[in-house]
Amino acid sequence: MAETLGRQIGKGQRPLTEDQKRIVEIGKKLGLEADFDYRGRANGKITGNRVSINPNCSDPLRFVFKHEVVHWLENSKLYDSFQKYLLDESAAFQDWLKKKGYSSLGAAITA
């Protein structure tokens, strides 16, 4: 059996994709475990410190993993700091708002 980032790959399983490998690596840095065996209605879920992602979803890193990490942050003491950073300091977030056609977060919320 081959092994990829600590996961045994058995008969019928595929090796991790590059996005999945990045998710595992980033997750470890955040104290999260990641698996790609989720078969629920959504593309992923987070339970405690485990992020489970559907292996067939089309955008596991840019959408699903980030989405689940925000849910994880919501339930931690870090969320207030994260939210403050986005609203007050993140040039990337401000650029994203502008690309979406909003002058500010307030404008986006009331739209």
Side-chain angles (χ1 to χ4, degrees), residues 19-20 22-23 26 53 57-70 96:
D19 273 355
Q20 290 171 338
R22 288 186 65 206
I23 288 169
I26 294 167
I53 298 174
C57 71
S58 61
D59 205 353
L61 179 58
R62 288 185 359 153
F63 178 73
V64 179
F65 181 68
K66 290 178 185 179
H67 177 87
E68 297 306 330
V69 167
V70 170
W96 178 83

Side-chain angles (χ1 to χ4, degrees), residues 82-93:
F82 172 69
Q83 186 178 36
K84 181 173 175 26
Y85 168 76
L86 279 181
L87 299 177
D88 298 341
E89 301 174 34
S90 174
F93 183 69

Side-chain angles (χ1 to χ4, degrees), residues 10-87:
K11 192 174 183 177
Q13 290 182 318
R14 294 179 292 191
L16 296 179
T17 66
E18 290 305 311
D19 273 355
Q20 290 171 338
K21 289 177 187 177
R22 288 186 65 206
I23 288 169
V24 170
E25 291 169 6
I26 294 167
K28 283 181 180 179
K29 291 177 183 178
L30 294 172
L32 298 171
E33 294 180 29
D35 70 66
F36 305 95
D37 299 321
Y38 184 65
R39 304 278 191 219
R41 283 186 14 213
N43 282 320
K45 72 174 186 173
I46 187 154
T47 307
N49 287 346
R50 176 173 289 281
V51 178
S52 299
I53 298 174
N54 185 317
N56 300 315
C57 71
S58 61
D59 205 353
L61 179 58
R62 288 185 359 153
F63 178 73
V64 179
F65 181 68
K66 290 178 185 179
H67 177 87
E68 297 306 330
V69 167
V70 170
H71 283 307
W72 175 70
L73 284 171
E74 285 175 328
N75 295 315
S76 77
K77 296 176 182 176
L78 301 172
Y79 187 69
D80 289 339
S81 298
F82 172 69
Q83 186 178 36
K84 181 173 175 26
Y85 168 76
L86 279 181
L87 299 177

